[in-house]
Amino acid sequence: METTVLVTGATGFIGRRLVAELTEGGTRVLAMTRRPDDYDGPGEPVGADVGDPSSLATALEGVDVAVYLVHSLDHDDFEDRDARAARSFGAAAARAGVRQIVYLGGLGDDGDLSPHLRSRREVESLLGEAGVPVTTLRAAIVVGHGGISWELTRQLVKNLPAMVVPKWTATRTQPIAVDDVIRYLAGVIDNPDAIGETFEIGGPEAMTYLDMLAVASELANGRSIPVVPVPVLTPRLSSYWLALVTDVDLTTGRNLIDSMTTEVVVQDRRILDVVPGEPLPYREAVRRALAERLADGKKV
């Protein structure tokens, strides 16, 4: 019997790629968007908004698996917004008879989370509050053309001849290529070994943000950028610094940087048993992101 998958955030960085991957594989996909009349991607557009509970019943009708890719980092009250939306969506999914929700959350230990990561963790539990099993993939920075975290990296190494960087750039993280995120998401959908499970996903290397900037500069510019770390640049000041040299808005930048002060590395590799295949190295992820940007008609 054919599986019907609803993808929320279908026009976003992850959503549009996932919809394309699933439809190419022969899956029936409902692409959920607030503006279905403007949608020109693959799948079948359905109009709904996670912030409007009354719109969800129609979108979820006949759905077997729902993929939840929504968050509100560009709002100061993102924690409340995301909690309300997750609770409403989980309840609507239960009423519709959905048998699995797949969620892309944030990597990090439960005891030491920023507000952003704490919100991601809360959404995990709220999505399943009404009884639908939730499969969660927890990731750190996703590297790919169009992703906010990658855009921060790309614009920093492009726009600055040298960088005075905050102390938090020495924090370790585990970046992952967007291609691997899509592969893992597709691999856990309607997979009996993944129902109700939480998996950590990441590339093969744990590295500091400073290391990431150095590799990105080498591949994008053909040279390394001189870097001077300073210990007194707080996350709030850092967000103003980012706003000066990138086009990422201040609220989103501040919420992302709050998470960058906490080490987030993969401790559990069980995902490799469920979705086999080694993830791409960071250098290859950067090469692909830069190549896709060029193919999109934009300068590196």
Side-chain angles (χ1 to χ4, degrees):
M1 188 175 177
E2 183 183 47
T3 299
T4 298
V5 178
L6 174 80
V7 176
T8 68
T11 60
F13 168 53
I14 300 293
R16 60 188 171 85
R17 287 174 162 86
L18 181 60
V19 172
E21 176 76 10
L22 294 175
T23 54
E24 285 171 14
T27 300
R28 180 180 180 232
V29 180
L30 304 181
M32 185 174 130
T33 170
R34 285 175 291 182
R35 291 175 289 276
D37 292 340
D38 297 334
Y39 183 77
D40 60 358
E44 305 169 32
V46 292
D49 182 350
V50 296
D52 177 10
S54 65
S55 70
L56 297 175
T58 301
L60 285 161
E61 186 177 350
V63 168
D64 301 301
V65 179
V67 183
Y68 195 82
L69 301 171
V70 180
H71 58 79
S72 310
L73 272 185
D74 55 346
H75 292 83
D76 286 323
D77 62 342
F78 71 91
E79 290 180 87
D80 289 338
R81 283 174 176 262
D82 284 350
R84 288 195 302 270
R87 181 177 281 114
S88 297
F89 189 85
R95 289 192 295 269
V98 172
R99 60 174 179 252
Q100 181 193 25
I101 295 174
V102 176
Y103 173 60
L104 182 62
L107 192 61
D109 294 331
D110 288 344
D112 187 22
L113 296 175
S114 67
H116 167 215
L117 293 176
R118 188 172 62 240
S119 172
R120 292 293 185 96
R121 203 58 46 84
E122 182 184 29
V123 167
E124 289 180 21
S125 62
L126 293 176
L127 283 171
E129 194 175 57
V132 180
V134 177
T135 299
T136 300
L137 301 182
R138 294 177 179 171
I141 285 183
V142 179
V143 182
H145 173 50
I148 293 175
S149 297
W150 164 245
E151 270 302 296
L152 284 177
T153 303
R154 188 194 65 78
Q155 291 184 37
L156 284 174
V157 300
K158 174 190 174 185
N159 295 336
L160 296 178
M163 280 192 291
V164 176
V165 298
K167 184 178 179 181
W168 53 259
T169 56
T171 303
R172 288 198 313 156
T173 186
Q174 197 146 347
I176 182 170
V178 67
D179 290 354
D180 285 316
V181 173
I182 300 307
R183 183 169 61 86
Y184 288 138
L185 284 168
V188 299
I189 288 173
D190 215 18
N191 184 331
D193 294 332
I195 303 295
E197 297 289 337
T198 297
F199 300 100
E200 297 181 349
I201 62 173
E205 313 111 318
M207 55 201 308
T208 67
Y209 292 103
L210 208 53
D211 293 334
M212 291 173 58
L213 289 167
V215 170
S217 176
E218 178 190 335
L219 293 175
N221 306 322
R223 60 179 174 81
S224 296
I225 294 181
V227 173
V228 181
V230 292
V232 293
L233 207 56
T234 65
R236 179 169 289 274
L237 287 174
S238 295
S239 65
Y240 291 114
W241 166 69
L242 286 180
L244 285 172
V245 294
T246 74
D247 60 13
V248 175
D249 74 87
L250 187 61
T251 301
T252 299
R254 183 166 63 245
N255 290 330
L256 284 173
I257 288 171
D258 280 343
S259 301
M260 292 177 178
T261 60
T262 302
E263 180 172 290
V264 285
V265 297
V266 172
Q267 307 290 340
D268 179 357
R269 306 285 287 182
R270 289 182 304 119
I271 188 63
L272 298 179
D273 298 325
V274 178
V275 186
E278 284 297 324
L280 295 169
Y282 178 68
R283 279 182 174 273
E284 179 59 23
V286 171
R287 287 191 190 98
R288 292 189 182 194
L290 294 173
E292 187 178 348
R293 181 175 176 82
L294 284 173
D296 200 24
K298 299 179 180 178
K299 294 181 180 180
V300 169

